[in-house]
Amino acid sequence: GLRGAEVGSFAGKGKCGIATANLDFNDAGMRTFCDMKLDFWWIPCAEHGVLERVRMEKVRADDLGFDPDNARLAKTAADWLMGYNEPDYWQPSPVAGAPTLASGTFATNFQCDRKELAENWQGLVLAYKTTHPAGQVLAPSMADVDGGASAGDYESCNRKFSPQEPGDYMPYCPGWLKCFKESVMRLSCGETNCWDVIDILPIHSYAYTAHDVIGKLLAWEAVWAEDLIGANGRSKKTLWLTEFSRVGAVDSSDPDGKTRAFMHDVMEYMTASPYVSGWSWFSEVNMSSFVLGDREPETATWATDLIDKEGKATVIGSYYAELCKGKEERRRPAAAAAAVKIAAGADEGTDAALVVSQFRRTGEYVVVWSHLVG
């Protein structure tokens, strides 16, 4: 578990943003975004081999794919440089002739032991640091499909066992980030190695309940404790939830209030956590639904839009903005304890410290919050 970290180091200070493709060439939507006073926005798209181009009001970064030209593009990033998008997840493209699925994952990225991948990462980081020596580096963002915090087995996620071709592929690599860490740590990225040059570990979480999102964050805080507290010679890092939303919602006016309750509970935890330094809601008017675990979607699309097609704030968008404005108020330990109780499925009468110290995830007891509420 996490012990000895500075209590409240990021509590109430996390950057609150939005991930959306709905603001490009949308003046009304951009005005609404500015009125919301969120910290940033970023957009997934394809541009000159760049998988995701990130545009932020106060911070800006590029999410880069495996392309020889990306070292040049890395130099154009500003305060933040994001890594590959969901390299731990791979499916054959539904579009004939296209090399990737919508997540932007290439087979060359999925095979985490590739020498070429490690050297590509080294080149991106070094190019970025030449123009932005004080810039923040985000690791490749993890889909973490099985909820194991990307620290499971990775032996099969390489070219020998998994060519990642239609008809012969693994859908996800359960230990991709662990593999990547071991690979790039051998390379130099200036004053440190190419793992400890990383400042932030970004993850994604799409879920039906706040319980599942908070549980995933707790798992990451436990599994990656060495990096989050800077132990054993590691640089101190934080977590960003760069994509999250409630799946299953069909109306952004939220008539049953379930999406707002989901937002409240997840953000109650993130804003109180000393290890989560940023997050962004994935906002889309008609988000294509997908199978999550063994649960089939009931509709073809889901409604996660904070800003609608006309550029106006939706009900859930206005609520999200208010939660972001009040993040400082939810930094108190009691809020974190309440959120962890939600994740553990405990009732209101359960002792918070007991829940926190015994919350069970991925076969280990997590003591993440014992120093806050114990």
Side-chain angles (χ1 to χ4, degrees):
L2 298 173
R3 292 185 183 275
E6 180 186 355
V7 174
S9 57
F10 277 94
K13 302 175 184 177
K15 292 186 178 297
C16 191
I18 176 176
T20 182
N22 297 336
L23 297 184
D24 265 356
F25 311 108
N26 184 347
D27 290 343
M30 183 56 71
R31 283 194 294 270
T32 297
F33 165 77
C34 292
D35 290 342
M36 286 179 165
K37 300 188 184 304
L38 302 179
D39 294 310
F40 68 93
W41 73 283
W42 66 272
I43 176 174
C45 69
E47 182 180 353
H48 305 300
V50 180
L51 301 185
E52 293 178 339
R53 187 65 131 189
V54 180
R55 300 175 179 85
M56 301 187 177
E57 185 183 23
K58 296 182 180 178
V59 292
R60 175 174 173 262
D62 290 337
D63 194 329
L64 301 169
F66 195 74
D67 188 288
D69 195 40
N70 280 336
R72 179 185 61 80
L73 292 169
K75 296 181 180 180
T76 69
D79 295 333
W80 308 80
L81 177 74
M82 299 176 78
Y84 315 110
N85 180 56
E86 296 187 350
D88 58 329
Y89 177 69
W90 196 91
Q91 293 284 329
S93 173
V95 180
T100 69
L101 190 67
S103 63
T105 302
F106 295 88
T108 48
N109 291 36
F110 183 90
Q111 295 158 343
C112 56
D113 68 333
R114 293 179 67 99
K115 178 175 179 285
E116 298 93 335
L117 178 63
E119 291 175 347
N120 180 260
W121 174 255
Q122 180 188 42
L124 296 176
V125 172
L126 289 175
Y128 173 64
K129 286 293 188 178
T130 60
T131 52
H132 300 87
Q136 299 278 295
V137 175
L138 279 70
S141 56
M142 296 292 100
D144 188 23
V145 175
D146 66 352
S150 199
D153 176 67
Y154 59 79
E155 184 177 354
S156 300
C157 311
N158 56 47
R159 283 174 288 183
K160 179 179 179 181
F161 297 102
S162 188
Q164 297 309 106
E165 298 174 350
D168 190 4
Y169 66 91
M170 292 179 62
Y172 67 92
C173 179
W176 195 96
L177 194 62
K178 181 180 178 181
C179 172
F180 182 77
K181 175 180 179 177
E182 294 177 4
S183 177
V184 301
M185 194 180 290
R186 305 186 187 103
L187 300 180
S188 173
C189 277
E191 297 179 357
T192 186
N193 63 69
C194 291
W195 172 256
D196 286 312
V197 74
I198 293 170
D199 301 284
I200 297 167
L201 305 179
I203 60 177
H204 299 165
S205 182
Y206 293 92
Y208 286 94
T209 68
H211 168 286
D212 291 334
V213 179
I214 298 169
K216 176 176 276 193
L217 288 168
L218 280 166
W220 276 77
E221 290 181 349
V223 171
W224 294 94
E226 178 183 79
D227 285 283
L228 296 179
I229 64 175
N232 302 321
R234 302 280 65 79
S235 64
K236 191 172 182 180
K237 305 170 182 67
T238 61
L239 295 173
W240 267 26
L241 189 60
T242 46
E243 291 183 25
F244 81 107
S245 67
R246 174 180 171 253
V247 302
V250 295
D251 188 345
S252 55
S253 68
D254 196 30
D256 59 8
K258 290 183 178 180
T259 298
R260 281 169 288 177
F262 175 98
M263 285 179 169
H264 174 275
D265 292 345
V266 172
M267 290 181 64
E268 191 87 337
Y269 182 81
M270 292 192 296
T271 52
S273 170
Y275 310 108
V276 180
S277 63
W279 55 87
S280 44
W281 180 270
F282 193 86
S283 173
E284 194 166 338
V285 176
N286 291 303
M287 177 182 176
S288 296
S289 61
F290 51 86
V291 177
L292 190 60
D294 58 359
R295 184 169 177 176
E296 294 281 347
E298 297 178 3
T299 57
T301 61
W302 292 321
T304 64
D305 50 317
L306 303 185
I307 299 173
D308 64 23
K309 290 184 291 186
E310 285 71 42
K312 297 178 181 179
T314 62
V315 170
I316 62 172
S318 296
Y319 185 71
Y320 181 77
E322 288 302 314
L323 289 175
C324 291
K325 292 174 185 176
K327 60 188 178 184
E328 179 70 20
E329 299 174 5
R330 287 187 298 281
R331 63 179 299 175
R332 58 191 185 282
V340 175
K341 287 169 68 176
I342 292 169
D347 58 41
E348 286 298 318
T350 306
D351 179 72
L354 179 64
V355 171
V356 171
S357 63
Q358 295 186 350
F359 183 84
R360 196 166 180 80
R361 184 74 179 178
T362 62
E364 298 180 1
Y365 283 101
V366 180
V367 291
V368 177
W369 292 100
S370 60
H371 62 285
L372 291 178
V373 300

